[in-house]
Amino acid sequence: AAQAQYAYPGCAAITDKDFTATTVVSRTNSADIYEPLKMDFQMDADGNVDIFFIERKGAIKFYDGKTKAVRVLGTIAPLEIGGEDGLTGLALDPDFKNKKRIFLYYATKPTFRVSRFNLDPATLALQPATEKVLLEWPSSRGRCTP
């Protein structure tokens, strides 16, 4: 009832009927999907929504809005996955449609890192050799000081 009364700011013609819920991931912590954390979206010319998402243990995955299939684009390794560490951040380049670049935030053994990677334009496979570390700082895991 409360949602039915919600007005979409700046878009008076939009109603709840303009939205469709689609289940993309129906199970977690399985052999197929393990701790999905962050996601980013792109829409193709036909209106299909593609979803890029990451898993804490290092996988970068892609949900193809046209085929409705999920596939692995690549994996970040080695990672430090103790505690809440791992691959924990994802953003697509603002000009992703032309540049096919992805930004990832992850933990290595001695550091935390924000890096940019290229994806293969045809397959969207992660190209690990293109990593450009943009920001890196030392980790202080296990060292708490009062």
mmCIF file of all heavy atoms in Angstrom, residues 95-125:
data_model
loop_
_atom_site.group_PDB
_atom_site.id
_atom_site.type_symbol
_atom_site.label_atom_id
_atom_site.label_comp_id
_atom_site.label_asym_id
_atom_site.label_seq_id
_atom_site.Cartn_x
_atom_site.Cartn_y
_atom_site.Cartn_z
ATOM 1 N N ASP A 95 32.162 5.092 -19.735
ATOM 2 C CA ASP A 95 32.035 4.922 -21.183
ATOM 3 C C ASP A 95 32.230 3.441 -21.546
ATOM 4 O O ASP A 95 32.897 3.092 -22.512
ATOM 5 C CB ASP A 95 33.060 5.802 -21.918
ATOM 6 C CG ASP A 95 32.814 5.847 -23.422
ATOM 7 O OD1 ASP A 95 31.689 5.534 -23.867
ATOM 8 O OD2 ASP A 95 33.756 6.195 -24.146
ATOM 9 N N PHE A 96 31.624 2.560 -20.748
ATOM 10 C CA PHE A 96 31.827 1.124 -20.895
ATOM 11 C C PHE A 96 31.483 0.620 -22.298
ATOM 12 O O PHE A 96 32.172 -0.236 -22.837
ATOM 13 C CB PHE A 96 31.013 0.350 -19.865
ATOM 14 C CG PHE A 96 31.220 -1.128 -19.940
ATOM 15 C CD1 PHE A 96 32.347 -1.710 -19.382
ATOM 16 C CD2 PHE A 96 30.328 -1.946 -20.606
ATOM 17 C CE1 PHE A 96 32.572 -3.077 -19.472
ATOM 18 C CE2 PHE A 96 30.536 -3.313 -20.704
ATOM 19 C CZ PHE A 96 31.659 -3.870 -20.137
ATOM 20 N N LYS A 97 30.436 1.147 -22.898
ATOM 21 C CA LYS A 97 30.017 0.650 -24.216
ATOM 22 C C LYS A 97 31.124 0.788 -25.250
ATOM 23 O O LYS A 97 31.233 -0.020 -26.162
ATOM 24 C CB LYS A 97 28.751 1.357 -24.676
ATOM 25 C CG LYS A 97 27.551 0.901 -23.882
ATOM 26 C CD LYS A 97 26.274 1.537 -24.342
ATOM 27 C CE LYS A 97 25.149 1.035 -23.464
ATOM 28 N NZ LYS A 97 23.847 1.479 -23.878
ATOM 29 N N ASN A 98 31.981 1.799 -25.103
ATOM 30 C CA ASN A 98 33.084 2.003 -26.048
ATOM 31 C C ASN A 98 34.414 1.462 -25.539
ATOM 32 O O ASN A 98 35.202 0.926 -26.308
ATOM 33 C CB ASN A 98 33.243 3.492 -26.373
ATOM 34 C CG ASN A 98 32.045 4.026 -27.120
ATOM 35 O OD1 ASN A 98 31.589 3.415 -28.079
ATOM 36 N ND2 ASN A 98 31.518 5.138 -26.665
ATOM 37 N N LYS A 99 34.679 1.603 -24.239
ATOM 38 C CA LYS A 99 36.005 1.270 -23.711
ATOM 39 C C LYS A 99 36.121 -0.132 -23.127
ATOM 40 O O LYS A 99 37.226 -0.642 -22.967
ATOM 41 C CB LYS A 99 36.419 2.302 -22.667
ATOM 42 C CG LYS A 99 36.604 3.679 -23.282
ATOM 43 C CD LYS A 99 37.107 4.652 -22.258
ATOM 44 C CE LYS A 99 37.303 6.017 -22.896
ATOM 45 N NZ LYS A 99 37.712 7.020 -21.931
ATOM 46 N N LYS A 100 35.037 -0.745 -22.734
ATOM 47 C CA LYS A 100 35.044 -2.105 -22.165
ATOM 48 C C LYS A 100 36.060 -2.242 -21.025
ATOM 49 O O LYS A 100 36.870 -3.162 -20.984
ATOM 50 C CB LYS A 100 35.313 -3.163 -23.232
ATOM 51 C CG LYS A 100 34.306 -3.163 -24.358
ATOM 52 C CD LYS A 100 32.939 -3.576 -23.896
ATOM 53 C CE LYS A 100 31.969 -3.771 -25.032
ATOM 54 N NZ LYS A 100 31.004 -2.704 -25.194
ATOM 55 N N ARG A 101 36.001 -1.294 -20.069
ATOM 56 C CA ARG A 101 36.881 -1.346 -18.901
ATOM 57 C C ARG A 101 36.051 -1.525 -17.638
ATOM 58 O O ARG A 101 34.918 -1.046 -17.543
ATOM 59 C CB ARG A 101 37.710 -0.061 -18.797
ATOM 60 C CG ARG A 101 38.684 0.082 -19.946
ATOM 61 C CD ARG A 101 39.693 1.167 -19.739
ATOM 62 N NE ARG A 101 39.077 2.462 -19.528
ATOM 63 C CZ ARG A 101 39.709 3.615 -19.663
ATOM 64 N NH1 ARG A 101 40.976 3.638 -20.010
ATOM 65 N NH2 ARG A 101 39.089 4.750 -19.454
ATOM 66 N N ILE A 102 36.647 -2.204 -16.672
ATOM 67 C CA ILE A 102 35.982 -2.487 -15.411
ATOM 68 C C ILE A 102 36.935 -2.124 -14.268
ATOM 69 O O ILE A 102 38.147 -2.302 -14.387
ATOM 70 C CB ILE A 102 35.557 -3.976 -15.366
ATOM 71 C CG1 ILE A 102 34.637 -4.270 -14.203
ATOM 72 C CG2 ILE A 102 36.753 -4.905 -15.377
ATOM 73 C CD1 ILE A 102 33.979 -5.650 -14.299
ATOM 74 N N PHE A 103 36.394 -1.594 -13.189
ATOM 75 C CA PHE A 103 37.179 -1.243 -12.009
ATOM 76 C C PHE A 103 36.829 -2.210 -10.888
ATOM 77 O O PHE A 103 35.644 -2.482 -10.648
ATOM 78 C CB PHE A 103 36.864 0.194 -11.567
ATOM 79 C CG PHE A 103 37.235 1.224 -12.597
ATOM 80 C CD1 PHE A 103 36.361 1.566 -13.617
ATOM 81 C CD2 PHE A 103 38.474 1.842 -12.549
ATOM 82 C CE1 PHE A 103 36.700 2.501 -14.577
ATOM 83 C CE2 PHE A 103 38.829 2.792 -13.504
ATOM 84 C CZ PHE A 103 37.936 3.122 -14.519
ATOM 85 N N LEU A 104 37.859 -2.743 -10.227
ATOM 86 C CA LEU A 104 37.658 -3.718 -9.160
ATOM 87 C C LEU A 104 38.397 -3.293 -7.902
ATOM 88 O O LEU A 104 39.509 -2.766 -7.974
ATOM 89 C CB LEU A 104 38.147 -5.097 -9.612
ATOM 90 C CG LEU A 104 37.457 -5.673 -10.853
ATOM 91 C CD1 LEU A 104 38.157 -6.945 -11.303
ATOM 92 C CD2 LEU A 104 35.979 -5.926 -10.586
ATOM 93 N N TYR A 105 37.775 -3.547 -6.757
ATOM 94 C CA TYR A 105 38.390 -3.307 -5.446
ATOM 95 C C TYR A 105 38.568 -4.668 -4.789
ATOM 96 O O TYR A 105 37.608 -5.439 -4.676
ATOM 97 C CB TYR A 105 37.490 -2.405 -4.596
ATOM 98 C CG TYR A 105 37.906 -2.309 -3.153
ATOM 99 C CD1 TYR A 105 39.129 -1.750 -2.795
ATOM 100 C CD2 TYR A 105 37.070 -2.777 -2.145
ATOM 101 C CE1 TYR A 105 39.509 -1.664 -1.463
ATOM 102 C CE2 TYR A 105 37.444 -2.686 -0.815
ATOM 103 C CZ TYR A 105 38.656 -2.125 -0.485
ATOM 104 O OH TYR A 105 39.040 -2.048 0.840
ATOM 105 N N TYR A 106 39.817 -4.974 -4.389
ATOM 106 C CA TYR A 106 40.062 -6.291 -3.808
ATOM 107 C C TYR A 106 41.246 -6.261 -2.847
ATOM 108 O O TYR A 106 42.032 -5.315 -2.806
ATOM 109 C CB TYR A 106 40.259 -7.354 -4.888
ATOM 110 C CG TYR A 106 41.454 -7.167 -5.786
ATOM 111 C CD1 TYR A 106 42.639 -7.859 -5.551
ATOM 112 C CD2 TYR A 106 41.400 -6.322 -6.890
ATOM 113 C CE1 TYR A 106 43.734 -7.702 -6.393
ATOM 114 C CE2 TYR A 106 42.482 -6.171 -7.729
ATOM 115 C CZ TYR A 106 43.646 -6.860 -7.478
ATOM 116 O OH TYR A 106 44.720 -6.706 -8.311
ATOM 117 N N ALA A 107 41.344 -7.323 -2.045
ATOM 118 C CA ALA A 107 42.395 -7.461 -1.050
ATOM 119 C C ALA A 107 43.403 -8.510 -1.499
ATOM 120 O O ALA A 107 43.035 -9.623 -1.861
ATOM 121 C CB ALA A 107 41.797 -7.872 0.296
ATOM 122 N N THR A 108 44.684 -8.126 -1.497
ATOM 123 C CA THR A 108 45.762 -9.088 -1.711
ATOM 124 C C THR A 108 46.342 -9.382 -0.335
ATOM 125 O O THR A 108 45.896 -8.834 0.661
ATOM 126 C CB THR A 108 46.849 -8.516 -2.644
ATOM 127 O OG1 THR A 108 47.493 -7.439 -1.982
ATOM 128 C CG2 THR A 108 46.253 -8.049 -3.961
ATOM 129 N N LYS A 109 47.341 -10.211 -0.267
ATOM 130 C CA LYS A 109 47.927 -10.551 1.039
ATOM 131 C C LYS A 109 48.456 -9.307 1.760
ATOM 132 O O LYS A 109 48.091 -9.063 2.889
ATOM 133 C CB LYS A 109 49.026 -11.597 0.845
ATOM 134 C CG LYS A 109 49.394 -12.333 2.095
ATOM 135 C CD LYS A 109 48.267 -13.216 2.549
ATOM 136 C CE LYS A 109 48.743 -14.297 3.476
ATOM 137 N NZ LYS A 109 47.677 -15.068 4.039
ATOM 138 N N PRO A 110 49.280 -8.460 1.095
ATOM 139 C CA PRO A 110 49.812 -7.330 1.855
ATOM 140 C C PRO A 110 49.046 -6.014 1.689
ATOM 141 O O PRO A 110 49.304 -5.068 2.410
ATOM 142 C CB PRO A 110 51.222 -7.165 1.285
ATOM 143 C CG PRO A 110 51.088 -7.601 -0.135
ATOM 144 C CD PRO A 110 50.041 -8.690 -0.131
ATOM 145 N N THR A 111 48.106 -5.933 0.720
ATOM 146 C CA THR A 111 47.503 -4.626 0.430
ATOM 147 C C THR A 111 46.024 -4.721 0.087
ATOM 148 O O THR A 111 45.490 -5.800 -0.159
ATOM 149 C CB THR A 111 48.197 -3.959 -0.780
ATOM 150 O OG1 THR A 111 47.940 -4.740 -1.948
ATOM 151 C CG2 THR A 111 49.686 -3.789 -0.584
ATOM 152 N N PHE A 112 45.408 -3.553 0.045
ATOM 153 C CA PHE A 112 44.102 -3.376 -0.582
ATOM 154 C C PHE A 112 44.366 -2.637 -1.879
ATOM 155 O O PHE A 112 45.283 -1.823 -1.960
ATOM 156 C CB PHE A 112 43.162 -2.552 0.309
ATOM 157 C CG PHE A 112 42.772 -3.267 1.571
ATOM 158 C CD1 PHE A 112 43.331 -2.888 2.777
ATOM 159 C CD2 PHE A 112 41.853 -4.296 1.547
ATOM 160 C CE1 PHE A 112 42.979 -3.544 3.944
ATOM 161 C CE2 PHE A 112 41.503 -4.958 2.706
ATOM 162 C CZ PHE A 112 42.066 -4.574 3.915
ATOM 163 N N ARG A 113 43.540 -2.882 -2.894
ATOM 164 C CA ARG A 113 43.853 -2.349 -4.215
ATOM 165 C C ARG A 113 42.587 -1.996 -4.994
ATOM 166 O O ARG A 113 41.596 -2.712 -4.938
ATOM 167 C CB ARG A 113 44.629 -3.428 -4.962
ATOM 168 C CG ARG A 113 45.094 -3.079 -6.326
ATOM 169 C CD ARG A 113 45.843 -4.239 -6.959
ATOM 170 N NE ARG A 113 47.149 -4.403 -6.340
ATOM 171 C CZ ARG A 113 48.004 -5.367 -6.653
ATOM 172 N NH1 ARG A 113 47.684 -6.252 -7.579
ATOM 173 N NH2 ARG A 113 49.161 -5.438 -6.056
ATOM 174 N N VAL A 114 42.661 -0.888 -5.727
ATOM 175 C CA VAL A 114 41.665 -0.535 -6.732
ATOM 176 C C VAL A 114 42.392 -0.569 -8.069
ATOM 177 O O VAL A 114 43.395 0.122 -8.247
ATOM 178 C CB VAL A 114 41.058 0.867 -6.493
ATOM 179 C CG1 VAL A 114 40.108 1.235 -7.631
ATOM 180 C CG2 VAL A 114 40.341 0.923 -5.153
ATOM 181 N N SER A 115 41.893 -1.400 -8.993
ATOM 182 C CA SER A 115 42.537 -1.562 -10.292
ATOM 183 C C SER A 115 41.527 -1.456 -11.417
ATOM 184 O O SER A 115 40.341 -1.724 -11.236
ATOM 185 C CB SER A 115 43.217 -2.933 -10.394
ATOM 186 O OG SER A 115 44.338 -3.009 -9.559
ATOM 187 N N ARG A 116 42.049 -1.088 -12.578
ATOM 188 C CA ARG A 116 41.242 -1.050 -13.789
ATOM 189 C C ARG A 116 41.718 -2.178 -14.705
ATOM 190 O O ARG A 116 42.913 -2.409 -14.854
ATOM 191 C CB ARG A 116 41.413 0.290 -14.498
ATOM 192 C CG ARG A 116 40.527 0.424 -15.733
ATOM 193 C CD ARG A 116 40.817 1.687 -16.495
ATOM 194 N NE ARG A 116 42.121 1.539 -17.160
ATOM 195 C CZ ARG A 116 42.964 2.534 -17.378
ATOM 196 N NH1 ARG A 116 42.675 3.758 -16.991
ATOM 197 N NH2 ARG A 116 44.110 2.321 -17.991
ATOM 198 N N PHE A 117 40.774 -2.869 -15.312
ATOM 199 C CA PHE A 117 41.072 -3.956 -16.244
ATOM 200 C C PHE A 117 40.303 -3.729 -17.536
ATOM 201 O O PHE A 117 39.213 -3.164 -17.526
ATOM 202 C CB PHE A 117 40.616 -5.310 -15.679
ATOM 203 C CG PHE A 117 41.356 -5.768 -14.468
ATOM 204 C CD1 PHE A 117 40.970 -5.353 -13.202
ATOM 205 C CD2 PHE A 117 42.426 -6.643 -14.586
ATOM 206 C CE1 PHE A 117 41.635 -5.791 -12.069
ATOM 207 C CE2 PHE A 117 43.093 -7.091 -13.458
ATOM 208 C CZ PHE A 117 42.706 -6.664 -12.199
ATOM 209 N N ASN A 118 40.845 -4.211 -18.628
ATOM 210 C CA ASN A 118 40.126 -4.235 -19.895
ATOM 211 C C ASN A 118 39.418 -5.577 -20.025
ATOM 212 O O ASN A 118 39.917 -6.599 -19.550
ATOM 213 C CB ASN A 118 41.077 -4.071 -21.078
ATOM 214 C CG ASN A 118 41.708 -2.697 -21.124
ATOM 215 O OD1 ASN A 118 41.248 -1.757 -20.489
ATOM 216 N ND2 ASN A 118 42.777 -2.583 -21.881
ATOM 217 N N LEU A 119 38.275 -5.546 -20.694
ATOM 218 C CA LEU A 119 37.582 -6.765 -21.073
ATOM 219 C C LEU A 119 37.727 -6.923 -22.582
ATOM 220 O O LEU A 119 37.764 -5.929 -23.311
ATOM 221 C CB LEU A 119 36.100 -6.694 -20.702
ATOM 222 C CG LEU A 119 35.771 -6.495 -19.224
ATOM 223 C CD1 LEU A 119 34.262 -6.430 -19.026
ATOM 224 C CD2 LEU A 119 36.368 -7.584 -18.368
ATOM 225 N N ASP A 120 37.814 -8.159 -23.032
ATOM 226 C CA ASP A 120 37.882 -8.401 -24.470
ATOM 227 C C ASP A 120 36.599 -7.859 -25.107
ATOM 228 O O ASP A 120 35.503 -8.206 -24.659
ATOM 229 C CB ASP A 120 38.022 -9.903 -24.725
ATOM 230 C CG ASP A 120 38.089 -10.220 -26.193
ATOM 231 O OD1 ASP A 120 37.001 -10.351 -26.808
ATOM 232 O OD2 ASP A 120 39.203 -10.314 -26.723
ATOM 233 N N PRO A 121 36.702 -7.010 -26.125
ATOM 234 C CA PRO A 121 35.504 -6.402 -26.709
ATOM 235 C C PRO A 121 34.500 -7.404 -27.280
ATOM 236 O O PRO A 121 33.305 -7.166 -27.254
ATOM 237 C CB PRO A 121 36.048 -5.504 -27.820
ATOM 238 C CG PRO A 121 37.473 -5.293 -27.503
ATOM 239 C CD PRO A 121 37.933 -6.498 -26.740
ATOM 240 N N ALA A 122 34.966 -8.530 -27.781
ATOM 241 C CA ALA A 122 34.072 -9.516 -28.399
ATOM 242 C C ALA A 122 33.456 -10.470 -27.389
ATOM 243 O O ALA A 122 32.271 -10.787 -27.469
ATOM 244 C CB ALA A 122 34.828 -10.300 -29.462
ATOM 245 N N THR A 123 34.267 -10.940 -26.415
ATOM 246 C CA THR A 123 33.788 -11.970 -25.495
ATOM 247 C C THR A 123 33.516 -11.453 -24.094
ATOM 248 O O THR A 123 32.927 -12.152 -23.279
ATOM 249 C CB THR A 123 34.835 -13.092 -25.369
ATOM 250 O OG1 THR A 123 36.019 -12.550 -24.754
ATOM 251 C CG2 THR A 123 35.165 -13.694 -26.723
ATOM 252 N N LEU A 124 33.994 -10.252 -23.781
ATOM 253 C CA LEU A 124 33.941 -9.638 -22.453
ATOM 254 C C LEU A 124 34.804 -10.373 -21.428
ATOM 255 O O LEU A 124 34.708 -10.121 -20.243
ATOM 256 C CB LEU A 124 32.500 -9.516 -21.937
ATOM 257 C CG LEU A 124 31.585 -8.611 -22.737
ATOM 258 C CD1 LEU A 124 30.189 -8.582 -22.125
ATOM 259 C CD2 LEU A 124 32.143 -7.200 -22.813
ATOM 260 N N ALA A 125 35.675 -11.267 -21.873
ATOM 261 C CA ALA A 125 36.569 -11.968 -20.947
ATOM 262 C C ALA A 125 37.542 -10.969 -20.324
ATOM 263 O O ALA A 125 38.064 -10.071 -20.994
ATOM 264 C CB ALA A 125 37.345 -13.057 -21.674
#
